[in-house]
Amino acid sequence: MSLSLIVGVADIAWATDLSTFQTELDGCNSRKTIDPSESCNITGYNYQYGKGIERDIHKARLFYEKSCEQGNSQGCTNLGHIFAVGNGVPRNAIRAVNLYEKGCRDGNQLSCTHLGEMYFNGAGLDQNDDKAVALVKTACDANIPEACDLLGWFHIEGIGGQINSARGFTQFKQFCNDDHAYSCDSLGLSYANGIGTSVNIKKAEASFRKGCDADYPDACNSLGNYYNCVGVNIFDSFTPAPQKVKTFYQKACDLGSSGGCVNLGIFYIQKGMEDFVRSKKKNQFLKGMKILDDACFAGNGEGCNRLGFIHGGGLVVPQDIALSWVYKEKACQLEFQKACVAVGRAYLKGINGFKKNEIKAVELFDHACHEGAYQGCLELSDMYREGLGVTKDLKKADRYYRVACKNPYTLECVDRKN
């Protein structure tokens, strides 16, 4: 489980137009400002989310850095989040951890919350559930709603104690009722998938909508998924609503959700394929590619990976195998593990411009496996079984096979049994 937490400027009004944006920018650059570090932090936020100015993640990072260097713990937190998720920069978990630790030491409980999440995911430091729970619980006790929402997921997953889905659900409901948008998204997911409660599609929709109305991008993305019948336990009679799908993916993207942008790009790609088959028109398809390219550039590995498949397929745009693998390698660098498995296979076989390197293939398969990509575990099993890039070890081969094939209906596992 990896949760995306809000990058925040607590209790401060961000820019609503160019004039208010300029006021904060001037405050950041002026020695006469009472707290220029906070003006720099707000300016970074305005650039990141396009508040009063065109969105520019690179300028956002520069202003967060300036804010953090001046001792603003929230600026450090926001900068840490950019590196944690790879937003416009290569993902760098170690630097993110250092920034979160700095913010947490300075008393910023949102930084402590993010640091707890890093401990839980084992990103940038050794995985430690006890430290994760302690940090997040302390932040929740300090009335940080993001922390309380994450603590709810810990209850559901049984992190730091027994699984208690009902307790997690109750926590989401309480905080959503208190108008905390991220908990409304979690509440919607609980209703949609029957987590800690019975499935209730209407309540799921209402919860997602409440979060989206409060401009929480993940809730808008979830609402788009809801109308697209993706990732929720939908009744057979439910019919997708394409216009609503596009509306809410667009809003999620506009609010800064790279996942929302990828979903929006995929939406246009799918519609563009239909147009191309009917009339050879490429407009919507190319628009979808542009959206995916922007998401890839902003650090979303799935967006890069999708573009890799598009350029490799050559269905609507000319096939370009070399460019396809450039995108897949970038997706891997951005920690999209399915792409890492594909790149690992290319190294293993010495194809598509990759020099044969069994050791490099093992490294990629191993990392993908430990990050939850079962395909990586399956490839790693084969490497140990055949002694490719590692010392032959049938026990390890069997162990990685069992990890990969926990689900007996995994297609690759069924094929190998047959």
Side-chain angles (χ1 to χ4, degrees), residues 239-253:
T239 302
Q243 188 55 46
K244 290 182 178 180
V245 171
K246 184 174 78 169
T247 296
F248 290 111
Y249 283 158
Q250 182 72 66
K251 184 172 181 180
C253 183

Side-chain angles (χ1 to χ4, degrees), residues 226-238:
Y226 170 87
Y227 286 117
N228 205 22
C229 302
V230 174
V232 291
N233 190 355
I234 297 292
F235 299 127
D236 291 340
S237 60
F238 190 92

Side-chain angles (χ1 to χ4, degrees), residues 309-375:
F309 277 106
I310 289 170
H311 285 292
L315 294 176
V316 178
V317 295
Q319 188 180 50
D320 189 330
I321 298 297
L323 184 58
S324 169
W325 283 96
V326 168
Y327 277 113
K328 288 180 183 179
E329 190 169 26
K330 181 174 175 61
C332 178
Q333 291 168 355
L334 291 169
E335 298 287 335
F336 189 73
Q337 299 306 329
K338 289 183 179 179
C340 292
V341 173
V343 173
R345 288 168 177 161
Y347 272 116
L348 177 61
K349 298 177 182 178
I351 59 175
N352 299 315
F354 294 88
K355 187 176 180 179
K356 186 177 178 69
N357 189 330
E358 293 174 355
I359 294 175
K360 181 67 174 177
V362 168
E363 290 175 357
L364 288 165
F365 295 150
D366 183 74
H367 183 69
C369 176
H370 285 89
E371 290 297 316
Y374 74 84
Q375 302 97 328

Side-chain angles (χ1 to χ4, degrees), residues 11-23:
D11 300 324
I12 291 182
W14 49 77
T16 55
D17 55 36
L18 184 58
S19 175
T20 51
F21 167 82
Q22 190 64 47
T23 298

Side-chain angles (χ1 to χ4, degrees), residues 151-165:
L151 195 60
W153 285 109
F154 282 178
H155 290 316
I156 288 169
E157 297 288 331
I159 307 302
Q162 294 183 336
I163 291 176
N164 193 334
S165 298

